[in-house]
Amino acid sequence: MRTLEEAWEYVDVNRIDASEKPAFHLTPPVGWMNDPNGFSVYDGEVHVFYQFHPYSTEWGPMHWGHAVSKDMVTFVECPVALAPDMDYDCDGCFSGSAIEDGPNHIIVYTGVSNGRQNQCVAAGDGKAYSKLAENPVINGDMLPEGFSRVDFRDPKMWRDEDCYYLVAVNADINNKGQILLFRTSNLIDWQYVKVLEAHNADIGEMWECPDFFEVSGRHVLMFSAMDMSARGLEFHNGNNCVYTIGDFDRATYDYRHGDYFSLDYGLDYYAPQTTCLPDGRRVLIGWLQSWHSIHRPASQRYCGMMTIMRELTIEGGKLIQKPISELTNYRVDRVELRNQKISGTKRLEGISGRFIDMEITVKNSDFSRLIIQLAVDDQHHTDMCYYPSKQVIFYDRTYSGIQRDVACTRNFSVKSDKKELKLRIIMDRNSVEIFANGGEQVFSAQMYTPISADAIVFHCDSTAVVDITKWNIDMENKNEH
Ligand code: FRU
């Protein structure tokens, strides 16, 4: 069994220098990171825990890494919070969540042991966490017959008046994902309530990492669905993060879901989780990676990163995601170009970089293809090809330093009622996040291109007219405005 102390010491000796890492995306101090966990506000700070294997750049017995943020953009590393050091979690402390509960920061996570997955609680003060003597507090024997004791994980907890609730994923009698609801008044004696959402044949096989929360009076159910088959441009083959907007009856615990949509159309996105900030904003953070396209250059001594936080609202029956507003406090070196005509190949004065926040408005549509190439040098380029007739972007990272056979291309729809295409492109060394049409569509991907490749090049087969505003993001240079 691995102890917490061992993990702390290992991290202290092997911590990777910040200069090798993204500037404003959370990464592990060393080793492997997957799902965000315990995303919560406690004592005025935002806490992000994560699935963590300090000892290698590959998944292994899961610990919980931990970081805090005061401004939702910069992170301070905290000591590893949980290690798989008890009989009931010796095979891993899997994903879970956290809430502020009076003076306590309460964590609920999945303890894996002997091929079983059970739910466990730990309490802490924002720095150190102790597992309850009563663990596991929810075990498979509490489930109806036929429900899996093996696939039963990822509790997401909230508090409503005097009760605590959580949703967790489970495999049903046909081994398909379902979402179960539990409740307790004291965090120890939990009761199984019901199946909140039964398996839906269109939505993959097993489900993971559920979240259930309110936005504008509606209830959003979100989860990560494994092994889906592609459907139009909405879902791609493999693991997708999906959401539905519906209504929850607090008296009967009935949930009526709506249509299902993808949360992010990118090549690297999985297992997101939300929390509510003290000012009421519902924010989302995800793993900027996915199980089927894990890659890292041989020289990179960590694997995995989080997305930036995103603010969620509902418009027109869909979730809208906007980069956390506080990111604009780190914008410097503004370059603004209006009505630029792009014909053939063009580089624009001041438009380059790998740590950038860039807004592009494409003002006309009488051309067949506009290509925006990011992270360009003689050998590398990462392409966004916009086809206005189809309102589709074809993203291609074939030439972004990948030496493995991982997915490199994807088409995603940027359909909107708006006349002009608006893109906000955020790059942080080795990631790209694209927010199209004010956050109606979002796309996240990693790139592996050497950092020296920082040119941005435009091509159009006829003439595209664009407005561009670009800032560098500089963490040393905070300017509140
Ligand atoms: C999702 C997931 C979770 C599990 C965790 C293990 O990526 O498979 O279901 O708790 O990762 O690390």
Short mmCIF file of all heavy atoms in Angstrom, two decimals, residues 212-269:
data_model
loop_
_atom_site.label_atom_id
_atom_site.label_comp_id
_atom_site.label_asym_id
_atom_site.label_seq_id
_atom_site.Cartn_x
_atom_site.Cartn_y
_atom_site.Cartn_z
N PHE A 212 -24.86 16.72 -11.52
CA PHE A 212 -26.29 17.05 -11.58
C PHE A 212 -26.45 18.38 -10.88
O PHE A 212 -26.16 18.49 -9.69
CB PHE A 212 -27.07 15.94 -10.85
CG PHE A 212 -28.56 16.03 -11.00
CD1 PHE A 212 -29.14 16.07 -12.25
CD2 PHE A 212 -29.38 16.05 -9.88
CE1 PHE A 212 -30.53 16.14 -12.39
CE2 PHE A 212 -30.76 16.11 -10.01
CZ PHE A 212 -31.33 16.15 -11.27
N PHE A 213 -26.85 19.41 -11.61
CA PHE A 213 -26.82 20.76 -11.03
C PHE A 213 -27.84 21.66 -11.70
O PHE A 213 -28.32 21.37 -12.80
CB PHE A 213 -25.41 21.36 -11.16
CG PHE A 213 -24.87 21.32 -12.57
CD1 PHE A 213 -25.06 22.38 -13.44
CD2 PHE A 213 -24.16 20.21 -13.02
CE1 PHE A 213 -24.57 22.35 -14.74
CE2 PHE A 213 -23.67 20.16 -14.32
CZ PHE A 213 -23.87 21.22 -15.18
N GLU A 214 -28.08 22.77 -11.01
CA GLU A 214 -29.09 23.70 -11.50
C GLU A 214 -28.44 24.87 -12.23
O GLU A 214 -27.43 25.40 -11.78
CB GLU A 214 -29.83 24.25 -10.27
CG GLU A 214 -31.30 24.39 -10.49
CD GLU A 214 -32.00 24.91 -9.24
OE1 GLU A 214 -31.86 24.28 -8.18
OE2 GLU A 214 -32.67 25.95 -9.37
N VAL A 215 -28.99 25.22 -13.37
CA VAL A 215 -28.62 26.45 -14.05
C VAL A 215 -29.92 27.11 -14.49
O VAL A 215 -30.74 26.45 -15.16
CB VAL A 215 -27.75 26.18 -15.32
CG1 VAL A 215 -27.37 27.50 -16.01
CG2 VAL A 215 -26.48 25.41 -14.97
N SER A 216 -30.13 28.35 -14.12
CA SER A 216 -31.33 29.10 -14.51
C SER A 216 -32.62 28.31 -14.26
O SER A 216 -33.48 28.24 -15.14
CB SER A 216 -31.28 29.50 -15.98
OG SER A 216 -30.04 30.01 -16.34
N GLY A 217 -32.72 27.68 -13.11
CA GLY A 217 -33.96 26.99 -12.75
C GLY A 217 -34.18 25.64 -13.42
O GLY A 217 -35.15 24.95 -13.15
N ARG A 218 -33.28 25.25 -14.33
CA ARG A 218 -33.38 23.92 -14.96
C ARG A 218 -32.31 23.00 -14.34
O ARG A 218 -31.35 23.49 -13.77
CB ARG A 218 -33.12 24.01 -16.48
CG ARG A 218 -33.95 25.03 -17.22
CD ARG A 218 -35.44 24.72 -17.27
NE ARG A 218 -35.79 23.37 -17.72
CZ ARG A 218 -35.84 22.96 -19.00
NH1 ARG A 218 -35.54 23.80 -19.98
NH2 ARG A 218 -36.21 21.73 -19.33
N HIS A 219 -32.49 21.71 -14.50
CA HIS A 219 -31.50 20.77 -13.97
C HIS A 219 -30.71 20.11 -15.10
O HIS A 219 -31.29 19.47 -15.97
CB HIS A 219 -32.18 19.72 -13.11
CG HIS A 219 -32.06 20.02 -11.66
ND1 HIS A 219 -32.95 20.80 -10.98
CD2 HIS A 219 -31.09 19.70 -10.75
CE1 HIS A 219 -32.57 20.92 -9.72
NE2 HIS A 219 -31.45 20.26 -9.55
N VAL A 220 -29.42 20.30 -15.03
CA VAL A 220 -28.54 19.72 -16.05
C VAL A 220 -27.97 18.42 -15.50
O VAL A 220 -27.47 18.38 -14.37
CB VAL A 220 -27.38 20.69 -16.38
CG1 VAL A 220 -26.44 20.06 -17.40
CG2 VAL A 220 -27.92 22.03 -16.87
N LEU A 221 -28.07 17.36 -16.29
CA LEU A 221 -27.40 16.10 -15.97
C LEU A 221 -26.28 15.94 -16.99
O LEU A 221 -26.50 16.06 -18.20
CB LEU A 221 -28.38 14.92 -16.07
CG LEU A 221 -27.76 13.55 -15.83
CD1 LEU A 221 -27.29 13.39 -14.39
CD2 LEU A 221 -28.76 12.44 -16.17
N MET A 222 -25.10 15.69 -16.48
CA MET A 222 -23.93 15.61 -17.36
C MET A 222 -23.15 14.36 -16.97
O MET A 222 -23.10 14.02 -15.79
CB MET A 222 -23.14 16.88 -17.05
CG MET A 222 -21.78 17.01 -17.56
SD MET A 222 -21.15 18.64 -16.97
CE MET A 222 -19.91 18.06 -15.83
N PHE A 223 -22.63 13.64 -17.92
CA PHE A 223 -21.76 12.52 -17.59
C PHE A 223 -20.87 12.19 -18.77
O PHE A 223 -21.03 12.73 -19.86
CB PHE A 223 -22.57 11.29 -17.12
CG PHE A 223 -23.66 10.84 -18.06
CD1 PHE A 223 -23.38 9.96 -19.09
CD2 PHE A 223 -24.96 11.31 -17.91
CE1 PHE A 223 -24.37 9.54 -19.95
CE2 PHE A 223 -25.97 10.88 -18.77
CZ PHE A 223 -25.68 10.00 -19.79
N SER A 224 -19.91 11.30 -18.53
CA SER A 224 -18.98 10.89 -19.57
C SER A 224 -19.38 9.48 -19.99
O SER A 224 -19.44 8.58 -19.15
CB SER A 224 -17.56 10.94 -19.03
OG SER A 224 -17.24 12.27 -18.69
N ALA A 225 -19.69 9.32 -21.27
CA ALA A 225 -20.24 8.06 -21.78
C ALA A 225 -19.17 7.34 -22.59
O ALA A 225 -18.58 7.91 -23.50
CB ALA A 225 -21.46 8.35 -22.64
N MET A 226 -18.96 6.07 -22.24
CA MET A 226 -17.91 5.31 -22.91
C MET A 226 -18.45 4.62 -24.16
O MET A 226 -19.62 4.26 -24.22
CB MET A 226 -17.36 4.24 -21.96
CG MET A 226 -16.78 4.82 -20.70
SD MET A 226 -16.42 3.57 -19.45
CE MET A 226 -14.93 2.87 -20.10
N ASP A 227 -17.57 4.43 -25.12
CA ASP A 227 -17.84 3.56 -26.27
C ASP A 227 -19.08 3.96 -27.07
O ASP A 227 -19.95 3.13 -27.34
CB ASP A 227 -17.97 2.10 -25.81
CG ASP A 227 -16.77 1.66 -25.00
OD1 ASP A 227 -15.65 2.05 -25.36
OD2 ASP A 227 -16.94 0.95 -23.98
N MET A 228 -19.15 5.21 -27.44
CA MET A 228 -20.27 5.65 -28.28
C MET A 228 -19.93 5.46 -29.75
O MET A 228 -18.77 5.39 -30.13
CB MET A 228 -20.57 7.14 -28.01
CG MET A 228 -21.23 7.36 -26.67
SD MET A 228 -21.69 9.08 -26.39
CE MET A 228 -23.05 9.29 -27.55
N SER A 229 -20.98 5.39 -30.56
CA SER A 229 -20.79 5.40 -32.01
C SER A 229 -21.08 6.81 -32.49
O SER A 229 -22.01 7.45 -32.00
CB SER A 229 -21.76 4.44 -32.69
OG SER A 229 -21.56 3.16 -32.16
N ALA A 230 -20.33 7.25 -33.48
CA ALA A 230 -20.48 8.62 -33.97
C ALA A 230 -21.91 8.84 -34.47
O ALA A 230 -22.53 7.94 -35.03
CB ALA A 230 -19.50 8.87 -35.10
N ARG A 231 -22.43 10.03 -34.18
CA ARG A 231 -23.75 10.40 -34.71
C ARG A 231 -23.66 11.82 -35.27
O ARG A 231 -23.43 12.76 -34.52
CB ARG A 231 -24.81 10.32 -33.62
CG ARG A 231 -26.15 10.08 -34.22
CD ARG A 231 -27.22 9.53 -33.29
NE ARG A 231 -26.84 9.17 -31.97
CZ ARG A 231 -27.31 9.76 -30.86
NH1 ARG A 231 -28.13 10.77 -30.96
NH2 ARG A 231 -26.97 9.33 -29.67
N GLY A 232 -23.79 11.95 -36.59
CA GLY A 232 -23.64 13.25 -37.23
C GLY A 232 -22.33 13.88 -36.75
O GLY A 232 -21.32 13.19 -36.60
N LEU A 233 -22.38 15.17 -36.48
CA LEU A 233 -21.19 15.81 -35.91
C LEU A 233 -21.36 16.02 -34.42
O LEU A 233 -20.52 16.62 -33.77
CB LEU A 233 -20.94 17.16 -36.60
CG LEU A 233 -20.55 17.10 -38.07
CD1 LEU A 233 -20.21 18.49 -38.60
CD2 LEU A 233 -19.38 16.15 -38.29
N GLU A 234 -22.49 15.51 -33.85
CA GLU A 234 -22.73 15.77 -32.43
C GLU A 234 -21.83 14.89 -31.55
O GLU A 234 -21.22 15.37 -30.61
CB GLU A 234 -24.21 15.54 -32.10
CG GLU A 234 -24.64 16.07 -30.73
CD GLU A 234 -24.40 17.58 -30.54
OE1 GLU A 234 -24.51 18.33 -31.53
OE2 GLU A 234 -24.09 17.98 -29.41
N PHE A 235 -21.80 13.59 -31.86
CA PHE A 235 -21.00 12.68 -31.05
C PHE A 235 -19.94 12.00 -31.92
O PHE A 235 -20.22 11.67 -33.07
CB PHE A 235 -21.88 11.60 -30.41
CG PHE A 235 -22.96 12.18 -29.52
CD1 PHE A 235 -24.30 11.99 -29.82
CD2 PHE A 235 -22.63 12.92 -28.40
CE1 PHE A 235 -25.30 12.53 -29.01
CE2 PHE A 235 -23.61 13.48 -27.58
CZ PHE A 235 -24.95 13.28 -27.89
N HIS A 236 -18.78 11.79 -31.37
CA HIS A 236 -17.72 11.10 -32.11
C HIS A 236 -17.59 9.67 -31.58
O HIS A 236 -18.12 9.35 -30.51
CB HIS A 236 -16.40 11.86 -32.00
CG HIS A 236 -15.97 12.11 -30.58
ND1 HIS A 236 -16.27 13.27 -29.91
CD2 HIS A 236 -15.31 11.34 -29.70
CE1 HIS A 236 -15.79 13.20 -28.68
NE2 HIS A 236 -15.20 12.04 -28.51
N ASN A 237 -16.88 8.82 -32.30
CA ASN A 237 -16.66 7.45 -31.83
C ASN A 237 -15.85 7.48 -30.54
O ASN A 237 -14.94 8.30 -30.40
CB ASN A 237 -15.87 6.65 -32.87
CG ASN A 237 -16.68 6.38 -34.11
OD1 ASN A 237 -17.89 6.17 -34.05
ND2 ASN A 237 -16.02 6.39 -35.26
N GLY A 238 -16.18 6.60 -29.63
CA GLY A 238 -15.39 6.51 -28.40
C GLY A 238 -16.07 7.19 -27.24
O GLY A 238 -17.30 7.18 -27.11
N ASN A 239 -15.27 7.81 -26.38
CA ASN A 239 -15.80 8.40 -25.15
C ASN A 239 -16.20 9.86 -25.37
O ASN A 239 -15.40 10.65 -25.86
CB ASN A 239 -14.75 8.34 -24.04
CG ASN A 239 -14.38 6.90 -23.71
OD1 ASN A 239 -15.10 5.97 -24.09
ND2 ASN A 239 -13.28 6.70 -23.02
N ASN A 240 -17.42 10.19 -25.03
CA ASN A 240 -17.95 11.56 -25.19
C ASN A 240 -18.44 12.07 -23.84
O ASN A 240 -18.91 11.29 -23.01
CB ASN A 240 -19.18 11.55 -26.11
CG ASN A 240 -18.87 11.31 -27.58
OD1 ASN A 240 -19.04 12.19 -28.41
ND2 ASN A 240 -18.42 10.11 -27.91
N CYS A 241 -18.39 13.38 -23.67
CA CYS A 241 -19.03 13.97 -22.49
C CYS A 241 -20.35 14.55 -22.95
O CYS A 241 -20.38 15.37 -23.87
CB CYS A 241 -18.17 15.08 -21.92
SG CYS A 241 -16.60 14.42 -21.44
N VAL A 242 -21.43 14.11 -22.31
CA VAL A 242 -22.76 14.50 -22.78
C VAL A 242 -23.51 15.23 -21.67
O VAL A 242 -23.18 15.09 -20.49
CB VAL A 242 -23.58 13.26 -23.23
CG1 VAL A 242 -22.82 12.46 -24.28
CG2 VAL A 242 -23.93 12.37 -22.05
N TYR A 243 -24.51 16.01 -22.09
CA TYR A 243 -25.38 16.63 -21.09
C TYR A 243 -26.79 16.70 -21.63
O TYR A 243 -27.02 16.62 -22.84
CB TYR A 243 -24.88 18.05 -20.72
CG TYR A 243 -25.14 19.09 -21.79
CD1 TYR A 243 -26.33 19.82 -21.81
CD2 TYR A 243 -24.19 19.34 -22.78
CE1 TYR A 243 -26.58 20.77 -22.80
CE2 TYR A 243 -24.43 20.30 -23.76
CZ TYR A 243 -25.63 21.01 -23.77
OH TYR A 243 -25.86 21.94 -24.75
N THR A 244 -27.73 16.81 -20.69
CA THR A 244 -29.12 17.04 -21.07
C THR A 244 -29.69 18.06 -20.09
O THR A 244 -29.26 18.12 -18.93
CB THR A 244 -29.92 15.72 -21.05
OG1 THR A 244 -31.28 16.01 -21.37
CG2 THR A 244 -29.89 15.02 -19.70
N ILE A 245 -30.60 18.87 -20.57
CA ILE A 245 -31.23 19.87 -19.70
C ILE A 245 -32.65 19.40 -19.43
O ILE A 245 -33.40 19.10 -20.37
CB ILE A 245 -31.25 21.25 -20.38
CG1 ILE A 245 -29.81 21.69 -20.71
CG2 ILE A 245 -31.94 22.29 -19.49
CD1 ILE A 245 -29.70 22.97 -21.50
N GLY A 246 -33.02 19.27 -18.15
CA GLY A 246 -34.33 18.73 -17.83
C GLY A 246 -34.89 19.35 -16.57
O GLY A 246 -34.47 20.42 -16.15
N ASP A 247 -35.86 18.64 -16.00
CA ASP A 247 -36.51 19.17 -14.79
C ASP A 247 -36.53 18.09 -13.72
O ASP A 247 -36.79 16.92 -14.00
CB ASP A 247 -37.92 19.64 -15.14
CG ASP A 247 -37.84 20.83 -16.08
OD1 ASP A 247 -37.31 21.87 -15.66
OD2 ASP A 247 -38.22 20.68 -17.27
N PHE A 248 -36.29 18.54 -12.49
CA PHE A 248 -36.16 17.63 -11.35
C PHE A 248 -37.26 17.98 -10.35
O PHE A 248 -37.40 19.13 -9.96
CB PHE A 248 -34.78 17.85 -10.73
CG PHE A 248 -34.47 16.96 -9.57
CD1 PHE A 248 -34.62 15.58 -9.66
CD2 PHE A 248 -34.00 17.49 -8.37
CE1 PHE A 248 -34.31 14.75 -8.59
CE2 PHE A 248 -33.69 16.68 -7.29
CZ PHE A 248 -33.84 15.29 -7.40
N ASP A 249 -38.02 16.98 -9.96
CA ASP A 249 -39.08 17.17 -8.96
C ASP A 249 -38.48 16.81 -7.60
O ASP A 249 -38.19 15.64 -7.33
CB ASP A 249 -40.26 16.26 -9.32
CG ASP A 249 -41.43 16.47 -8.38
OD1 ASP A 249 -41.18 16.79 -7.18
OD2 ASP A 249 -42.57 16.32 -8.82
N ARG A 250 -38.31 17.83 -6.76
CA ARG A 250 -37.61 17.60 -5.49
C ARG A 250 -38.42 16.73 -4.53
O ARG A 250 -37.88 16.18 -3.58
CB ARG A 250 -37.31 18.94 -4.81
CG ARG A 250 -36.17 19.67 -5.42
CD ARG A 250 -35.78 20.85 -4.53
NE ARG A 250 -34.46 21.34 -4.84
CZ ARG A 250 -34.18 22.18 -5.83
NH1 ARG A 250 -35.13 22.62 -6.61
NH2 ARG A 250 -32.94 22.56 -6.04
N ALA A 251 -39.73 16.62 -4.75
CA ALA A 251 -40.55 15.82 -3.84
C ALA A 251 -40.49 14.34 -4.22
O ALA A 251 -40.35 13.46 -3.37
CB ALA A 251 -42.00 16.32 -3.88
N THR A 252 -40.55 14.05 -5.53
CA THR A 252 -40.58 12.64 -5.95
C THR A 252 -39.22 12.15 -6.42
O THR A 252 -39.03 10.97 -6.69
CB THR A 252 -41.56 12.47 -7.12
OG1 THR A 252 -41.08 13.32 -8.19
CG2 THR A 252 -42.98 12.88 -6.75
N TYR A 253 -38.29 13.08 -6.59
CA TYR A 253 -36.96 12.79 -7.15
C TYR A 253 -37.04 12.28 -8.59
O TYR A 253 -36.18 11.55 -9.06
CB TYR A 253 -36.19 11.78 -6.28
CG TYR A 253 -36.00 12.23 -4.86
CD1 TYR A 253 -36.45 11.45 -3.80
CD2 TYR A 253 -35.36 13.43 -4.55
CE1 TYR A 253 -36.27 11.86 -2.49
CE2 TYR A 253 -35.18 13.83 -3.24
CZ TYR A 253 -35.63 13.06 -2.21
OH TYR A 253 -35.45 13.45 -0.92
N ASP A 254 -38.10 12.63 -9.28
CA ASP A 254 -38.18 12.26 -10.70
C ASP A 254 -37.40 13.26 -11.54
O ASP A 254 -37.52 14.46 -11.32
CB ASP A 254 -39.64 12.30 -11.19
CG ASP A 254 -40.40 11.08 -10.74
OD1 ASP A 254 -39.74 10.06 -10.43
OD2 ASP A 254 -41.65 11.16 -10.69
N TYR A 255 -36.67 12.75 -12.49
CA TYR A 255 -35.96 13.63 -13.41
C TYR A 255 -36.48 13.39 -14.82
O TYR A 255 -36.54 12.24 -15.28
CB TYR A 255 -34.45 13.34 -13.36
CG TYR A 255 -33.66 14.26 -14.27
CD1 TYR A 255 -33.66 15.64 -14.07
CD2 TYR A 255 -32.93 13.76 -15.34
CE1 TYR A 255 -32.96 16.49 -14.92
CE2 TYR A 255 -32.22 14.60 -16.18
CZ TYR A 255 -32.24 15.97 -15.96
OH TYR A 255 -31.54 16.81 -16.80
N ARG A 256 -36.90 14.45 -15.47
CA ARG A 256 -37.33 14.35 -16.87
C ARG A 256 -36.27 15.00 -17.74
O ARG A 256 -36.06 16.20 -17.68
CB ARG A 256 -38.68 15.06 -17.07
CG ARG A 256 -39.76 14.08 -17.49
CD ARG A 256 -41.12 14.68 -17.73
NE ARG A 256 -41.49 15.69 -16.75
CZ ARG A 256 -41.60 16.98 -17.03
NH1 ARG A 256 -41.35 17.44 -18.24
NH2 ARG A 256 -41.96 17.84 -16.08
N HIS A 257 -35.54 14.17 -18.49
CA HIS A 257 -34.44 14.73 -19.28
C HIS A 257 -34.93 15.26 -20.62
O HIS A 257 -36.01 14.89 -21.08
CB HIS A 257 -33.33 13.69 -19.46
CG HIS A 257 -33.73 12.53 -20.31
ND1 HIS A 257 -33.72 12.56 -21.67
CD2 HIS A 257 -34.16 11.29 -19.98
CE1 HIS A 257 -34.11 11.40 -22.15
NE2 HIS A 257 -34.39 10.61 -21.14
N GLY A 258 -34.10 16.08 -21.25
CA GLY A 258 -34.38 16.55 -22.61
C GLY A 258 -33.49 15.82 -23.60
O GLY A 258 -33.12 14.67 -23.35
N ASP A 259 -33.14 16.47 -24.69
CA ASP A 259 -32.24 15.85 -25.67
C ASP A 259 -30.82 15.84 -25.11
O ASP A 259 -30.47 16.66 -24.27
CB ASP A 259 -32.24 16.66 -26.97
CG ASP A 259 -33.58 16.56 -27.67
OD1 ASP A 259 -34.31 15.58 -27.41
OD2 ASP A 259 -33.89 17.48 -28.45
N TYR A 260 -30.03 14.94 -25.65
CA TYR A 260 -28.63 14.88 -25.26
C TYR A 260 -27.74 15.61 -26.27
O TYR A 260 -27.95 15.50 -27.48
CB TYR A 260 -28.17 13.43 -25.14
CG TYR A 260 -28.48 12.85 -23.78
CD1 TYR A 260 -29.66 12.16 -23.54
CD2 TYR A 260 -27.60 13.04 -22.72
CE1 TYR A 260 -29.95 11.65 -22.29
CE2 TYR A 260 -27.88 12.54 -21.47
CZ TYR A 260 -29.05 11.85 -21.25
OH TYR A 260 -29.33 11.36 -20.00
N PHE A 261 -26.75 16.32 -25.74
CA PHE A 261 -25.78 17.03 -26.59
C PHE A 261 -24.38 16.75 -26.07
O PHE A 261 -24.18 16.35 -24.93
CB PHE A 261 -26.01 18.55 -26.53
CG PHE A 261 -27.39 18.96 -26.97
CD1 PHE A 261 -28.33 19.34 -26.03
CD2 PHE A 261 -27.73 18.97 -28.31
CE1 PHE A 261 -29.61 19.72 -26.41
CE2 PHE A 261 -29.01 19.35 -28.70
CZ PHE A 261 -29.95 19.73 -27.76
N SER A 262 -23.41 17.06 -26.94
CA SER A 262 -22.01 16.98 -26.54
C SER A 262 -21.59 18.24 -25.82
O SER A 262 -22.04 19.33 -26.18
CB SER A 262 -21.16 16.90 -27.81
OG SER A 262 -20.35 15.82 -27.79
N LEU A 263 -20.71 18.09 -24.85
CA LEU A 263 -20.27 19.26 -24.11
C LEU A 263 -19.08 19.93 -24.80
O LEU A 263 -18.90 21.14 -24.73
CB LEU A 263 -19.82 18.77 -22.72
CG LEU A 263 -19.85 19.70 -21.57
CD1 LEU A 263 -21.23 20.29 -21.36
CD2 LEU A 263 -19.47 18.92 -20.31
N ASP A 264 -18.28 19.13 -25.48
CA ASP A 264 -17.05 19.65 -26.08
C ASP A 264 -16.75 18.75 -27.28
O ASP A 264 -16.77 17.54 -27.16
CB ASP A 264 -15.92 19.59 -25.02
CG ASP A 264 -14.64 20.26 -25.46
OD1 ASP A 264 -14.09 19.86 -26.50
OD2 ASP A 264 -14.18 21.18 -24.76
N TYR A 265 -16.48 19.37 -28.42
CA TYR A 265 -16.26 18.58 -29.64
C TYR A 265 -14.80 18.24 -29.88
O TYR A 265 -14.44 17.73 -30.94
CB TYR A 265 -16.83 19.36 -30.85
CG TYR A 265 -18.31 19.60 -30.69
CD1 TYR A 265 -18.81 20.83 -30.27
CD2 TYR A 265 -19.22 18.57 -30.93
CE1 TYR A 265 -20.17 21.03 -30.09
CE2 TYR A 265 -20.58 18.77 -30.75
CZ TYR A 265 -21.05 20.00 -30.32
OH TYR A 265 -22.40 20.18 -30.14
N GLY A 266 -13.95 18.52 -28.91
CA GLY A 266 -12.51 18.41 -29.12
C GLY A 266 -11.98 16.99 -29.14
O GLY A 266 -12.69 16.02 -28.89
N LEU A 267 -10.67 16.90 -29.41
CA LEU A 267 -9.99 15.61 -29.48
C LEU A 267 -9.58 15.11 -28.10
O LEU A 267 -9.29 13.93 -27.93
CB LEU A 267 -8.74 15.75 -30.36
CG LEU A 267 -9.02 16.04 -31.84
CD1 LEU A 267 -7.78 16.59 -32.53
CD2 LEU A 267 -9.48 14.76 -32.54
N ASP A 268 -9.50 16.02 -27.15
CA ASP A 268 -8.99 15.67 -25.82
C ASP A 268 -9.88 16.30 -24.76
O ASP A 268 -9.62 17.44 -24.33
CB ASP A 268 -7.56 16.22 -25.63
CG ASP A 268 -6.59 15.69 -26.65
OD1 ASP A 268 -6.50 14.46 -26.80
OD2 ASP A 268 -5.93 16.49 -27.32
N TYR A 269 -10.89 15.58 -24.33
CA TYR A 269 -11.77 16.15 -23.31
C TYR A 269 -12.53 15.03 -22.64
O TYR A 269 -13.12 14.18 -23.31
CB TYR A 269 -12.76 17.12 -23.97
CG TYR A 269 -13.57 17.89 -22.96
CD1 TYR A 269 -13.01 18.97 -22.28
CD2 TYR A 269 -14.89 17.53 -22.67
CE1 TYR A 269 -13.74 19.67 -21.34
CE2 TYR A 269 -15.62 18.23 -21.72
CZ TYR A 269 -15.05 19.30 -21.07
OH TYR A 269 -15.76 20.00 -20.13
#
